[in-house]
Amino acid sequence: MIPQTLGALAGFLALVAPGIVFELRRERRRGRHQETAFREASRVALGSLVFTLVSLLLMTAVQAAGGRLFVSPADWLTRGEAYAREHLTLIVVSVAVELAVACALATGFEAFLARRRGEAATVQQRSAWAQALRTDRPGEAARGRTRSWRTARRSTGTSARTPRQVRWPTASSSSRARP
């Protein structure tokens, strides 16, 4: 299925957003393991469907209690495009509220599961650059100092290289790097 309009694309993204939020928060605590794309997409789709249905049920309960804050699906289905033109702002607000509630439910449920299992957000995904420049620094870098070089090109076409002391921030210091 390929969305043909901007509205269909936005609707699709709004539908899968709660599942993606849940999976990204879960991966922060557990790390990522190898699995097939089908299995991952199925888990995101199923999670999105559950969180979206629960948020729709909550919105329906608010509307049944007498609130006219959200779009009326019965009126929309009976009157069709005329209802959509008359209540476009209400439709957009309803979709935005549904998306926010579904993502909040996904975040809350993930936090509940993590607290129940006693998990902490300890998994950090570091890039190779961060590893090389912050963790694996040679020599003086372990004490927070390392030597770098700066090059200046003169207007005559010559260049000069001079050493420069750089203080790298360490994990225990909160100061910024100073030249």
Short mmCIF file of all heavy atoms in Angstrom, two decimals, residues 30-88:
data_model
loop_
_atom_site.label_atom_id
_atom_site.label_comp_id
_atom_site.label_asym_id
_atom_site.label_seq_id
_atom_site.Cartn_x
_atom_site.Cartn_y
_atom_site.Cartn_z
N ARG A 30 16.69 -1.76 26.66
CA ARG A 30 17.13 -3.14 26.40
C ARG A 30 18.17 -3.28 25.31
O ARG A 30 18.80 -4.30 25.21
CB ARG A 30 15.93 -3.99 25.99
CG ARG A 30 14.96 -4.21 27.08
CD ARG A 30 13.93 -5.16 26.59
NE ARG A 30 13.02 -5.51 27.64
CZ ARG A 30 12.05 -6.33 27.49
NH1 ARG A 30 11.84 -6.88 26.32
NH2 ARG A 30 11.26 -6.62 28.49
N GLY A 31 18.30 -2.32 24.46
CA GLY A 31 19.19 -2.48 23.32
C GLY A 31 18.45 -3.16 22.20
O GLY A 31 17.35 -3.71 22.35
N ARG A 32 19.06 -3.15 21.06
CA ARG A 32 18.41 -3.70 19.88
C ARG A 32 18.94 -5.10 19.61
O ARG A 32 20.13 -5.33 19.70
CB ARG A 32 18.70 -2.79 18.71
CG ARG A 32 17.89 -3.08 17.53
CD ARG A 32 17.91 -1.91 16.60
NE ARG A 32 16.73 -2.04 15.77
CZ ARG A 32 16.61 -1.51 14.62
NH1 ARG A 32 17.56 -0.76 14.15
NH2 ARG A 32 15.53 -1.69 13.91
N HIS A 33 18.07 -6.01 19.27
CA HIS A 33 18.50 -7.35 18.90
C HIS A 33 18.10 -7.61 17.45
O HIS A 33 17.20 -6.99 16.92
CB HIS A 33 17.95 -8.40 19.85
CG HIS A 33 16.45 -8.41 19.93
ND1 HIS A 33 15.75 -7.53 20.72
CD2 HIS A 33 15.54 -9.17 19.30
CE1 HIS A 33 14.45 -7.77 20.57
NE2 HIS A 33 14.30 -8.75 19.72
N GLN A 34 18.80 -8.53 16.83
CA GLN A 34 18.56 -8.83 15.42
C GLN A 34 17.23 -9.56 15.26
O GLN A 34 16.96 -10.52 15.97
CB GLN A 34 19.69 -9.69 14.85
CG GLN A 34 20.98 -8.95 14.71
CD GLN A 34 20.92 -7.87 13.63
OE1 GLN A 34 19.92 -7.71 12.96
NE2 GLN A 34 21.99 -7.14 13.48
N GLU A 35 16.45 -9.08 14.33
CA GLU A 35 15.19 -9.73 13.99
C GLU A 35 14.83 -9.36 12.56
O GLU A 35 15.41 -8.44 11.98
CB GLU A 35 14.08 -9.32 14.95
CG GLU A 35 13.77 -7.85 14.95
CD GLU A 35 12.77 -7.48 16.01
OE1 GLU A 35 12.33 -8.36 16.76
OE2 GLU A 35 12.43 -6.31 16.09
N THR A 36 13.88 -10.04 12.02
CA THR A 36 13.49 -9.77 10.64
C THR A 36 12.70 -8.47 10.57
O THR A 36 12.10 -8.04 11.56
CB THR A 36 12.64 -10.92 10.09
OG1 THR A 36 11.42 -10.99 10.83
CG2 THR A 36 13.38 -12.24 10.15
N ALA A 37 12.69 -7.87 9.41
CA ALA A 37 11.94 -6.63 9.21
C ALA A 37 10.44 -6.89 9.38
O ALA A 37 9.72 -6.03 9.90
CB ALA A 37 12.23 -6.07 7.83
N PHE A 38 9.99 -8.06 8.97
CA PHE A 38 8.57 -8.39 9.11
C PHE A 38 8.16 -8.45 10.58
O PHE A 38 7.13 -7.91 10.96
CB PHE A 38 8.28 -9.74 8.44
CG PHE A 38 6.85 -10.17 8.60
CD1 PHE A 38 5.85 -9.57 7.87
CD2 PHE A 38 6.52 -11.17 9.50
CE1 PHE A 38 4.52 -9.96 8.02
CE2 PHE A 38 5.20 -11.57 9.65
CZ PHE A 38 4.20 -10.95 8.91
N ARG A 39 8.99 -9.06 11.40
CA ARG A 39 8.67 -9.17 12.83
C ARG A 39 8.66 -7.80 13.49
O ARG A 39 7.78 -7.49 14.30
CB ARG A 39 9.67 -10.09 13.50
CG ARG A 39 9.40 -10.28 14.97
CD ARG A 39 10.30 -11.30 15.54
NE ARG A 39 9.50 -12.50 15.69
CZ ARG A 39 9.95 -13.64 16.11
NH1 ARG A 39 11.22 -13.78 16.39
NH2 ARG A 39 9.16 -14.66 16.26
N GLU A 40 9.63 -6.95 13.16
CA GLU A 40 9.68 -5.61 13.75
C GLU A 40 8.48 -4.77 13.29
O GLU A 40 7.84 -4.09 14.09
CB GLU A 40 10.98 -4.92 13.37
CG GLU A 40 11.15 -3.56 14.00
CD GLU A 40 12.47 -2.94 13.68
OE1 GLU A 40 13.27 -3.54 12.94
OE2 GLU A 40 12.71 -1.82 14.16
N ALA A 41 8.17 -4.82 12.00
CA ALA A 41 7.03 -4.07 11.48
C ALA A 41 5.72 -4.57 12.09
O ALA A 41 4.82 -3.78 12.39
CB ALA A 41 6.98 -4.16 9.96
N SER A 42 5.62 -5.88 12.29
CA SER A 42 4.42 -6.43 12.91
C SER A 42 4.25 -5.96 14.34
O SER A 42 3.15 -5.62 14.76
CB SER A 42 4.47 -7.96 12.88
OG SER A 42 4.52 -8.43 11.56
N ARG A 43 5.35 -5.91 15.09
CA ARG A 43 5.27 -5.46 16.48
C ARG A 43 4.89 -3.97 16.55
O ARG A 43 4.07 -3.57 17.37
CB ARG A 43 6.59 -5.71 17.20
CG ARG A 43 6.47 -5.49 18.68
CD ARG A 43 7.64 -5.91 19.52
NE ARG A 43 8.93 -5.55 18.99
CZ ARG A 43 9.81 -6.42 18.51
NH1 ARG A 43 9.51 -7.69 18.47
NH2 ARG A 43 10.98 -6.02 18.06
N VAL A 44 5.46 -3.16 15.65
CA VAL A 44 5.12 -1.73 15.62
C VAL A 44 3.65 -1.56 15.23
O VAL A 44 2.93 -0.77 15.85
CB VAL A 44 6.04 -0.97 14.64
CG1 VAL A 44 5.52 0.42 14.35
CG2 VAL A 44 7.45 -0.89 15.20
N ALA A 45 3.19 -2.29 14.23
CA ALA A 45 1.80 -2.16 13.78
C ALA A 45 0.82 -2.63 14.85
O ALA A 45 -0.20 -1.97 15.10
CB ALA A 45 1.59 -2.96 12.50
N LEU A 46 1.12 -3.73 15.51
CA LEU A 46 0.23 -4.23 16.55
C LEU A 46 0.19 -3.26 17.74
O LEU A 46 -0.89 -2.95 18.26
CB LEU A 46 0.67 -5.61 17.01
CG LEU A 46 -0.22 -6.28 18.06
CD1 LEU A 46 -1.62 -6.48 17.51
CD2 LEU A 46 0.37 -7.60 18.49
N GLY A 47 1.34 -2.77 18.15
CA GLY A 47 1.38 -1.80 19.24
C GLY A 47 0.63 -0.53 18.89
O GLY A 47 -0.13 0.01 19.70
N SER A 48 0.82 -0.05 17.67
CA SER A 48 0.11 1.15 17.22
C SER A 48 -1.39 0.94 17.22
O SER A 48 -2.14 1.81 17.66
CB SER A 48 0.57 1.53 15.82
OG SER A 48 1.90 1.93 15.82
N LEU A 49 -1.81 -0.21 16.75
CA LEU A 49 -3.25 -0.50 16.70
C LEU A 49 -3.85 -0.52 18.10
O LEU A 49 -4.90 0.07 18.35
CB LEU A 49 -3.49 -1.83 15.99
CG LEU A 49 -4.94 -2.24 15.83
CD1 LEU A 49 -5.67 -1.26 14.93
CD2 LEU A 49 -5.02 -3.64 15.27
N VAL A 50 -3.17 -1.16 19.04
CA VAL A 50 -3.69 -1.24 20.41
C VAL A 50 -3.76 0.14 21.05
O VAL A 50 -4.79 0.53 21.62
CB VAL A 50 -2.82 -2.20 21.26
CG1 VAL A 50 -3.15 -2.08 22.72
CG2 VAL A 50 -2.99 -3.62 20.77
N PHE A 51 -2.68 0.93 20.96
CA PHE A 51 -2.67 2.26 21.58
C PHE A 51 -3.66 3.20 20.91
O PHE A 51 -4.31 4.00 21.58
CB PHE A 51 -1.26 2.85 21.56
CG PHE A 51 -0.29 2.10 22.41
CD1 PHE A 51 0.89 1.61 21.88
CD2 PHE A 51 -0.55 1.85 23.75
CE1 PHE A 51 1.79 0.91 22.66
CE2 PHE A 51 0.34 1.16 24.54
CZ PHE A 51 1.51 0.68 24.00
N THR A 52 -3.82 3.08 19.59
CA THR A 52 -4.78 3.92 18.87
C THR A 52 -6.21 3.55 19.27
O THR A 52 -7.05 4.43 19.50
CB THR A 52 -4.59 3.79 17.35
OG1 THR A 52 -3.27 4.24 17.03
CG2 THR A 52 -5.60 4.61 16.59
N LEU A 53 -6.52 2.26 19.36
CA LEU A 53 -7.87 1.85 19.75
C LEU A 53 -8.21 2.28 21.18
O LEU A 53 -9.33 2.73 21.45
CB LEU A 53 -8.03 0.33 19.60
CG LEU A 53 -8.13 -0.18 18.16
CD1 LEU A 53 -8.21 -1.70 18.14
CD2 LEU A 53 -9.33 0.43 17.46
N VAL A 54 -7.25 2.16 22.09
CA VAL A 54 -7.50 2.59 23.46
C VAL A 54 -7.75 4.09 23.51
O VAL A 54 -8.66 4.56 24.21
CB VAL A 54 -6.34 2.17 24.39
CG1 VAL A 54 -6.47 2.80 25.76
CG2 VAL A 54 -6.29 0.65 24.51
N SER A 55 -6.95 4.87 22.76
CA SER A 55 -7.16 6.32 22.76
C SER A 55 -8.50 6.68 22.13
O SER A 55 -9.18 7.60 22.60
CB SER A 55 -6.01 7.03 22.05
OG SER A 55 -6.03 6.75 20.67
N LEU A 56 -8.92 5.96 21.08
CA LEU A 56 -10.24 6.20 20.49
C LEU A 56 -11.36 5.84 21.47
O LEU A 56 -12.38 6.55 21.53
CB LEU A 56 -10.40 5.41 19.19
CG LEU A 56 -9.62 5.95 17.99
CD1 LEU A 56 -9.74 5.00 16.81
CD2 LEU A 56 -10.09 7.34 17.62
N LEU A 57 -11.17 4.78 22.23
CA LEU A 57 -12.18 4.44 23.25
C LEU A 57 -12.27 5.52 24.32
O LEU A 57 -13.37 5.86 24.77
CB LEU A 57 -11.84 3.09 23.88
CG LEU A 57 -12.12 1.86 23.03
CD1 LEU A 57 -11.61 0.60 23.72
CD2 LEU A 57 -13.62 1.74 22.77
N LEU A 58 -11.15 6.06 24.74
CA LEU A 58 -11.16 7.15 25.72
C LEU A 58 -11.86 8.39 25.17
O LEU A 58 -12.66 9.03 25.86
CB LEU A 58 -9.74 7.49 26.16
CG LEU A 58 -9.02 6.45 27.01
CD1 LEU A 58 -7.57 6.85 27.23
CD2 LEU A 58 -9.74 6.27 28.33
N MET A 59 -11.58 8.71 23.91
CA MET A 59 -12.23 9.87 23.29
C MET A 59 -13.74 9.64 23.13
O MET A 59 -14.53 10.56 23.31
CB MET A 59 -11.58 10.18 21.95
CG MET A 59 -10.17 10.73 22.08
SD MET A 59 -9.32 10.91 20.50
CE MET A 59 -10.30 12.15 19.69
N THR A 60 -14.12 8.41 22.80
CA THR A 60 -15.54 8.08 22.67
C THR A 60 -16.24 8.18 24.02
O THR A 60 -17.38 8.65 24.11
CB THR A 60 -15.71 6.67 22.08
OG1 THR A 60 -15.02 6.63 20.83
CG2 THR A 60 -17.16 6.32 21.88
N ALA A 61 -15.55 7.76 25.09
CA ALA A 61 -16.12 7.86 26.43
C ALA A 61 -16.33 9.33 26.83
O ALA A 61 -17.36 9.68 27.43
CB ALA A 61 -15.22 7.16 27.44
N VAL A 62 -15.40 10.19 26.46
CA VAL A 62 -15.55 11.62 26.76
C VAL A 62 -16.74 12.18 25.97
O VAL A 62 -17.54 12.95 26.51
CB VAL A 62 -14.25 12.38 26.42
CG1 VAL A 62 -14.47 13.89 26.42
CG2 VAL A 62 -13.15 12.02 27.39
N GLN A 63 -16.87 11.78 24.73
CA GLN A 63 -17.98 12.28 23.92
C GLN A 63 -19.31 11.72 24.42
O GLN A 63 -20.32 12.41 24.40
CB GLN A 63 -17.78 11.92 22.46
CG GLN A 63 -18.74 12.62 21.54
CD GLN A 63 -18.28 12.59 20.11
OE1 GLN A 63 -17.23 12.07 19.80
NE2 GLN A 63 -19.07 13.16 19.23
N ALA A 64 -19.34 10.47 24.87
CA ALA A 64 -20.57 9.88 25.39
C ALA A 64 -21.00 10.53 26.70
O ALA A 64 -22.18 10.55 27.03
CB ALA A 64 -20.39 8.38 25.59
N ALA A 65 -20.03 11.08 27.44
CA ALA A 65 -20.34 11.75 28.70
C ALA A 65 -20.91 13.13 28.47
O ALA A 65 -21.23 13.83 29.42
CB ALA A 65 -19.08 11.83 29.56
N GLY A 66 -21.06 13.53 27.23
CA GLY A 66 -21.70 14.81 26.93
C GLY A 66 -20.77 15.85 26.34
O GLY A 66 -21.21 16.95 26.05
N GLY A 67 -19.53 15.52 26.17
CA GLY A 67 -18.59 16.49 25.60
C GLY A 67 -18.66 16.51 24.08
O GLY A 67 -18.68 15.47 23.44
N ARG A 68 -18.74 17.69 23.50
CA ARG A 68 -18.75 17.83 22.05
C ARG A 68 -17.40 18.39 21.60
O ARG A 68 -17.32 19.28 20.77
CB ARG A 68 -19.88 18.77 21.61
CG ARG A 68 -21.27 18.30 21.94
CD ARG A 68 -21.68 17.05 21.24
NE ARG A 68 -21.88 17.30 19.82
CZ ARG A 68 -22.01 16.35 18.93
NH1 ARG A 68 -21.94 15.10 19.29
NH2 ARG A 68 -22.19 16.65 17.67
N LEU A 69 -16.32 17.84 22.17
CA LEU A 69 -14.98 18.34 21.89
C LEU A 69 -14.38 17.73 20.63
O LEU A 69 -13.47 18.30 20.05
CB LEU A 69 -14.05 18.02 23.08
CG LEU A 69 -14.50 18.56 24.44
CD1 LEU A 69 -13.60 18.00 25.52
CD2 LEU A 69 -14.47 20.07 24.43
N PHE A 70 -14.89 16.57 20.25
CA PHE A 70 -14.27 15.83 19.15
C PHE A 70 -15.27 15.63 18.02
O PHE A 70 -16.46 15.86 18.16
CB PHE A 70 -13.75 14.48 19.65
CG PHE A 70 -12.85 14.59 20.84
CD1 PHE A 70 -13.21 14.05 22.05
CD2 PHE A 70 -11.64 15.27 20.75
CE1 PHE A 70 -12.39 14.17 23.15
CE2 PHE A 70 -10.81 15.39 21.84
CZ PHE A 70 -11.18 14.84 23.04
N VAL A 71 -14.75 15.16 16.89
CA VAL A 71 -15.56 14.91 15.72
C VAL A 71 -16.57 13.79 16.00
O VAL A 71 -16.30 12.87 16.77
CB VAL A 71 -14.65 14.57 14.52
CG1 VAL A 71 -13.94 13.27 14.71
CG2 VAL A 71 -15.41 14.59 13.22
N SER A 72 -17.73 13.88 15.40
CA SER A 72 -18.76 12.87 15.55
C SER A 72 -18.67 11.89 14.37
O SER A 72 -19.04 12.25 13.25
CB SER A 72 -20.14 13.51 15.59
OG SER A 72 -21.14 12.52 15.53
N PRO A 73 -18.19 10.66 14.61
CA PRO A 73 -18.07 9.71 13.50
C PRO A 73 -19.41 9.39 12.84
O PRO A 73 -19.47 9.22 11.62
CB PRO A 73 -17.48 8.47 14.15
CG PRO A 73 -16.87 8.93 15.42
CD PRO A 73 -17.67 10.11 15.85
N ALA A 74 -20.49 9.34 13.62
CA ALA A 74 -21.80 9.03 13.05
C ALA A 74 -22.24 10.13 12.07
O ALA A 74 -22.71 9.84 10.96
CB ALA A 74 -22.83 8.86 14.16
N ASP A 75 -22.08 11.39 12.48
CA ASP A 75 -22.46 12.49 11.59
C ASP A 75 -21.56 12.54 10.36
O ASP A 75 -22.01 12.83 9.25
CB ASP A 75 -22.37 13.83 12.32
CG ASP A 75 -23.47 13.97 13.37
OD1 ASP A 75 -24.46 13.22 13.29
OD2 ASP A 75 -23.33 14.83 14.25
N TRP A 76 -20.29 12.27 10.58
CA TRP A 76 -19.33 12.31 9.46
C TRP A 76 -19.67 11.24 8.43
O TRP A 76 -19.61 11.46 7.22
CB TRP A 76 -17.92 12.13 10.00
CG TRP A 76 -16.83 12.46 9.03
CD1 TRP A 76 -16.95 12.89 7.74
CD2 TRP A 76 -15.43 12.40 9.27
NE1 TRP A 76 -15.73 13.09 7.17
CE2 TRP A 76 -14.76 12.80 8.10
CE3 TRP A 76 -14.66 12.04 10.36
CZ2 TRP A 76 -13.39 12.85 7.99
CZ3 TRP A 76 -13.29 12.10 10.26
CH2 TRP A 76 -12.66 12.50 9.08
N LEU A 77 -20.04 10.03 8.91
CA LEU A 77 -20.36 8.94 7.99
C LEU A 77 -21.68 9.19 7.26
O LEU A 77 -21.82 8.81 6.09
CB LEU A 77 -20.41 7.61 8.73
CG LEU A 77 -19.05 7.08 9.19
CD1 LEU A 77 -19.23 5.83 10.03
CD2 LEU A 77 -18.16 6.79 7.99
N THR A 78 -22.64 9.81 7.92
CA THR A 78 -23.94 10.03 7.27
C THR A 78 -23.90 11.21 6.31
O THR A 78 -24.49 11.16 5.23
CB THR A 78 -25.06 10.24 8.31
OG1 THR A 78 -24.71 11.34 9.15
CG2 THR A 78 -25.29 8.99 9.12
N ARG A 79 -23.19 12.28 6.67
CA ARG A 79 -23.18 13.49 5.83
C ARG A 79 -21.99 13.55 4.90
O ARG A 79 -21.98 14.34 3.95
CB ARG A 79 -23.22 14.72 6.72
CG ARG A 79 -24.55 14.80 7.47
CD ARG A 79 -24.72 16.02 8.31
NE ARG A 79 -24.38 17.24 7.59
CZ ARG A 79 -23.84 18.29 8.18
NH1 ARG A 79 -23.59 18.28 9.47
NH2 ARG A 79 -23.57 19.38 7.49
N GLY A 80 -20.96 12.80 5.17
CA GLY A 80 -19.82 12.70 4.25
C GLY A 80 -18.98 13.95 4.12
O GLY A 80 -18.59 14.57 5.09
N GLU A 81 -18.74 14.32 2.86
CA GLU A 81 -17.83 15.42 2.56
C GLU A 81 -18.34 16.76 3.06
O GLU A 81 -17.56 17.64 3.42
CB GLU A 81 -17.59 15.47 1.05
CG GLU A 81 -16.46 16.37 0.65
CD GLU A 81 -16.18 16.31 -0.84
OE1 GLU A 81 -16.31 15.23 -1.43
OE2 GLU A 81 -15.83 17.37 -1.39
N ALA A 82 -19.65 16.93 3.09
CA ALA A 82 -20.21 18.19 3.59
C ALA A 82 -19.85 18.39 5.06
O ALA A 82 -19.50 19.50 5.48
CB ALA A 82 -21.73 18.20 3.40
N TYR A 83 -19.92 17.35 5.85
CA TYR A 83 -19.55 17.43 7.26
C TYR A 83 -18.06 17.75 7.39
O TYR A 83 -17.66 18.55 8.24
CB TYR A 83 -19.86 16.11 7.98
CG TYR A 83 -19.53 16.15 9.46
CD1 TYR A 83 -20.43 16.64 10.39
CD2 TYR A 83 -18.29 15.69 9.91
CE1 TYR A 83 -20.12 16.68 11.73
CE2 TYR A 83 -17.97 15.72 11.26
CZ TYR A 83 -18.89 16.21 12.17
OH TYR A 83 -18.58 16.26 13.50
N ALA A 84 -17.23 17.12 6.57
CA ALA A 84 -15.79 17.36 6.62
C ALA A 84 -15.45 18.81 6.29
O ALA A 84 -14.58 19.40 6.92
CB ALA A 84 -15.07 16.41 5.67
N ARG A 85 -16.13 19.39 5.31
CA ARG A 85 -15.87 20.79 4.96
C ARG A 85 -16.30 21.73 6.08
O ARG A 85 -15.63 22.71 6.37
CB ARG A 85 -16.58 21.17 3.67
CG ARG A 85 -15.70 20.97 2.47
CD ARG A 85 -16.36 21.45 1.21
NE ARG A 85 -17.03 20.27 0.66
CZ ARG A 85 -18.26 20.23 0.18
NH1 ARG A 85 -18.96 21.31 0.12
NH2 ARG A 85 -18.77 19.12 -0.29
N GLU A 86 -17.42 21.45 6.70
CA GLU A 86 -17.94 22.32 7.77
C GLU A 86 -17.12 22.21 9.06
O GLU A 86 -17.03 23.17 9.81
CB GLU A 86 -19.40 21.96 8.08
CG GLU A 86 -20.36 22.28 6.97
CD GLU A 86 -21.74 21.71 7.25
OE1 GLU A 86 -21.98 21.24 8.37
OE2 GLU A 86 -22.58 21.74 6.33
N HIS A 87 -16.58 21.04 9.34
CA HIS A 87 -15.91 20.81 10.62
C HIS A 87 -14.44 20.41 10.45
O HIS A 87 -13.93 19.58 11.19
CB HIS A 87 -16.64 19.70 11.39
CG HIS A 87 -18.05 20.04 11.72
ND1 HIS A 87 -19.10 19.72 10.88
CD2 HIS A 87 -18.59 20.69 12.78
CE1 HIS A 87 -20.22 20.14 11.43
NE2 HIS A 87 -19.94 20.74 12.57
N LEU A 88 -13.75 21.02 9.51
CA LEU A 88 -12.36 20.66 9.23
C LEU A 88 -11.46 20.90 10.45
O LEU A 88 -10.62 20.06 10.80
CB LEU A 88 -11.84 21.44 8.02
CG LEU A 88 -10.42 21.10 7.60
CD1 LEU A 88 -10.32 19.62 7.20
CD2 LEU A 88 -9.96 21.99 6.47
#
